[in-house]
């Protein structure tokens, strides 16, 4: 994935519509832009400015929301929804672990790399394992305990593999825009760390709770977990 090109494209579109002026006027999610149309007719769009968009000094924080529209149903998709989808896929099919990790490594890189390069099982993956009602209730409880609201609509499907990696790159791009490596931040590495943790915790039959808590933490950088191998991103 060429994150640098995606970043230029998105910021160019934002600036055409005067993102800063929209913030000053108090606009929220008033503009929409289609990001990707997939072969299965699912498409992704971005709604902006997001609720956390702000201007601080000369810096603009480009908060936005990524939506997925599938089977004529349009819902937001978040980091947590991706974490849950990855965790649930491995929980149902543990043998997907290595290929999903390779996919994450492929799409993390800057460049023209096939997301499914060196994977075997993902090309034929059938998305039929929808999270159960009890799973959803458990996730709602986890969020409630830390004062958050769970976007259960984002996990009403078992995402197709192309839907999954397309959602990941556009959601991760927001971190790349607001918290770039060149300024000492983690950029897209932050959400990719959480995705790797979700895969490995599910494969090891460990609870998803700490991964969600780490994804929702603010104002501090979670330290790497000792029981997780992040080397796929190196």
């Amino acid at each position: 994935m060429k994150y640098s090109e995606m970043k230029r494209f998105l910021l160019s579109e934002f600036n055409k519509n005067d993102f800063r002026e929209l913030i000053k006027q108090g606009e929220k999610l008033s503009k929409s832009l289609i990001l990707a149309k997939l072969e299965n007719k699912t498409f992704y769009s971005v709604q902006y400015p997001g609720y956390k968009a702000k201007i601080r000094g000369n810096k603009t924080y480009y908060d936005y929301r990524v939506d997925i529209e599938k089977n004529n149903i349009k819902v937001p998709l978040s980091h947590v929804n991706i974490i849950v989808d990855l965790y649930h896929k491995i929980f149902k099919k543990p043998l997907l672990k290595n290929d999903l990790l390779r996919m994450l490594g492929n799409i993390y890189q800057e460049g023209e790399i096939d997301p499914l390069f060196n994977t075997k099982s993902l090309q034929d993956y059938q998305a039929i394992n929808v999270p159960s009602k009890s799973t959803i209730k458990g996730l709602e409880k986890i969020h409630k305990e830390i004062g958050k609201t769970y976007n259960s609509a984002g996990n009403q499907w078992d995402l197709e593999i192309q839907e999954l990696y397309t959602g990941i790159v556009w959601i991760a791009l927001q971190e790349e825009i607001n918290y770039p490596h060149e300024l000492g931040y983690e950029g897209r590495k932050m959400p990719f760390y959480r995705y790797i943790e979700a895969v490995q915790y599910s494969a090891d039959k460990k609870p998803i709770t700490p991964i969600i808590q780490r994804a929702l933490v603010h104002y501090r950088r979670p330290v790497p977990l000792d029981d997780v191998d992040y080397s796929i991103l190196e």
Side-chain angles (χ1 to χ4, degrees):
M1 298 297 169
K2 291 193 174 182
Y3 290 93
S4 56
E5 292 183 2
M6 294 163 62
K7 180 177 178 178
R8 283 195 295 270
F9 162 73
L10 206 52
L11 291 181
S12 175
E13 292 297 323
F14 287 164
N15 291 332
K16 284 179 185 178
N17 287 282
D18 205 341
F19 198 99
R20 289 174 64 90
E21 186 60 30
L22 291 172
I23 295 175
K24 292 175 182 177
Q25 293 176 2
E27 297 280 349
K28 300 296 181 185
L29 308 177
S30 59
K31 300 291 184 180
S32 180
L33 173 69
I34 293 178
L35 299 173
K37 294 183 179 180
L38 309 186
E39 296 172 0
N40 66 352
K41 299 183 180 180
T42 292
F43 68 86
Y44 279 92
S45 61
V46 59
Q47 320 301 317
Y48 66 95
Y51 290 104
K52 296 179 182 178
K54 60 186 177 182
I55 300 171
R56 182 174 292 170
N58 291 323
K59 181 173 175 56
T60 303
Y61 289 87
Y62 292 93
D63 185 55
Y64 58 83
R65 190 182 77 195
V66 174
D67 286 356
I68 180 173
E69 185 163 336
K70 180 178 172 69
N71 301 329
N72 296 317
I73 300 172
K74 184 177 181 179
V75 298
L77 203 66
S78 68
H79 288 308
V80 169
N81 294 137
I82 296 296
I83 288 168
V84 171
D85 189 81
L86 286 166
Y87 187 96
H88 191 68
K89 278 180 168 56
I90 300 297
F91 187 81
K92 290 293 185 179
K93 293 189 174 183
L95 293 178
L96 292 176
K97 174 189 173 182
N98 290 336
D99 277 356
L100 282 175
L101 286 175
R102 290 190 189 99
M103 183 195 79
L104 289 171
N106 291 337
I107 62 177
Y108 173 77
Q109 304 302 322
E110 171 76 25
E112 295 289 352
I113 303 174
D114 181 353
L116 302 185
F117 174 71
N118 203 27
T119 67
K120 297 178 180 179
S121 59
L122 300 185
Q123 290 91 338
D124 300 322
Y125 180 78
Q126 294 184 338
I128 58 175
N129 297 307
V130 179
S132 66
K133 291 182 179 179
S134 60
T135 297
I136 297 297
K137 287 183 178 180
L139 292 164
E140 289 174 341
K141 181 180 178 181
I142 292 170
H143 280 71
K144 187 176 181 179
E145 288 173 348
I146 55 177
K148 302 289 185 179
T149 301
Y150 171 51
N151 173 36
S152 60
N155 289 119
Q156 63 185 287
W157 308 290
D158 180 7
L159 294 176
E160 302 282 354
I161 297 300
Q162 188 183 25
E163 293 171 344
L164 175 60
Y165 67 68
T166 302
I168 286 175
V169 297
W170 284 108
I171 292 171
L173 182 65
Q174 186 162 205
E175 307 302 324
E176 199 73 6
I177 291 172
N178 289 323
Y179 305 103
H181 291 277
E182 56 265 29
L183 294 182
Y185 298 106
E186 290 190 323
R188 65 184 183 276
K189 182 176 283 188
M190 185 279 291
F192 273 87
Y193 271 176
R194 303 294 86 78
Y195 303 152
I196 288 172
E197 291 165 2
V199 169
Q200 296 198 24
Y201 262 51
S202 183
D204 294 340
K205 305 303 180 186
K206 295 178 180 177
I208 194 174
T209 304
I211 310 305
I212 291 178
Q213 291 172 336
R214 288 164 65 79
L216 295 175
V217 70
H218 295 292
Y219 308 116
R220 63 182 176 84
R221 185 181 301 180
V223 297
L225 295 170
D226 292 335
D227 53 354
V228 172
D229 180 4
Y230 302 95
S231 61
I232 196 71
L233 300 186
E234 301 303 325

